[in-house]
Amino acid sequence: MAKQQHDGDTPRRRVRVIACGMIAREVLAVNRQLGHYHVDLKCIDANFHHYPDRIAPAVDRAIRSARDEGYEHIFIGYADCGTGGDLDKVCAAHGVERIAGPHCFSFYYGNQSFEAAGDEMMTTFFITDFLARHFDAFLIRPLGLDRFPELRDTYFGHYERALYLAQTDDPELEEKARAAAERLGLRYERRRTGYGDLTAALTAL
């Protein structure tokens, strides 16, 4: 668990954010910008994105653990993320809120703008700073593309472009994102989103 602490923060109630490991770096960065030193971050394994049925039960356990530790204010750093509404049921049962949106690509892009883009997004493969940084470990190897590269078109044949949603201006990450798009055989585009709706969601804390 990563903690942000500040000696002058005692008047505030401490807050537990339970978030996907894919956005841990970003949550910490936004909280630093906001001066949210009263916020503790608990991460759920990022690899659960390959097994979305595991997300809601893991979050449920993390909420119960946070309650046992005495946290009254808990926020869920997930969008729906493929849980098919199961995460919302967990949030409702515990009376906590989560980040709005269907997935992190949407809230980075801006949920309203993402929805307005419509069908254009159906043929888009998204790359974030996290995915650019961990492309081989998080995508290539789990999908077996390191061993069976011929599967690329089976997995990605219906995509037309790879859109890098850049949270930061990092030339090294952009180079990695471009290389990832090339490896997948997709047209590369970049959009500097920053932290998108994540900032507004965490501001309320």
Side-chain angles (χ1 to χ4, degrees):
M1 179 184 3
K3 290 188 177 182
Q4 301 182 64
Q5 298 177 339
H6 194 273
D7 290 341
D9 195 48
T10 51
R12 298 187 184 180
R13 289 187 306 164
R14 298 200 64 77
V15 177
R16 168 65 52 82
V17 172
I18 298 167
C20 174
M22 289 183 68
I23 68 168
R25 184 186 295 252
E26 289 70 29
V27 169
L28 291 171
V30 171
N31 281 333
R32 281 194 299 270
Q33 291 178 2
L34 296 172
H36 281 180
Y37 300 104
H38 60 300
V39 174
D40 291 346
L41 173 62
K42 173 69 175 180
C43 288
I44 304 295
D45 191 342
N47 285 307
F48 283 6
H49 269 279
H50 296 303
Y51 311 96
D53 59 307
R54 300 181 186 179
I55 294 174
V59 170
D60 180 72
R61 291 192 297 271
I63 293 173
R64 294 178 187 277
S65 178
R67 296 291 193 213
D68 289 342
E69 293 177 50
Y71 287 89
E72 296 181 7
H73 193 172
I74 299 169
F75 183 75
I76 307 304
Y78 274 95
D80 179 75
C81 297
T83 69
D86 286 348
L87 183 57
D88 283 333
K89 293 176 183 177
V90 169
C91 290
H94 290 285
V96 301
E97 295 182 357
R98 68 164 175 86
I99 298 174
H103 39 63
C104 64
F105 312 121
S106 178
F107 68 67
Y108 279 145
Y109 196 91
N111 284 315
Q112 289 187 347
S113 297
F114 189 92
E115 185 176 359
D119 292 344
E120 170 186 4
M121 297 305 189
M122 297 297 292
T123 56
T124 298
F125 178 79
F126 298 99
I127 301 172
T128 62
D129 282 8
F130 174 92
L131 191 55
R133 192 177 287 112
H134 303 289
F135 186 69
D136 281 357
F138 193 76
L139 189 81
I140 294 298
R141 290 199 289 272
L143 292 180
L145 292 173
D146 54 331
R147 304 182 303 280
F148 308 104
E150 66 275 10
L151 291 176
R152 184 191 70 175
D153 291 342
T154 301
Y155 287 130
F156 300 100
H158 65 290
Y159 290 106
E160 296 177 358
R161 65 169 178 167
L163 178 59
Y164 174 32
L165 305 177
Q167 283 73 72
T168 57
D169 291 312
D170 186 325
E172 183 179 351
L173 285 182
E174 181 169 8
E175 183 178 343
K176 289 181 177 181
R178 191 182 297 276
E182 183 176 350
R183 189 167 184 179
L184 298 179
L186 301 175
R187 182 179 81 253
Y188 174 77
E189 295 181 21
R190 178 183 184 273
R191 181 185 177 102
R192 174 62 159 86
T193 63
Y195 302 116
D197 290 349
L198 179 62
T199 299
L202 295 178
T203 296
L205 303 183

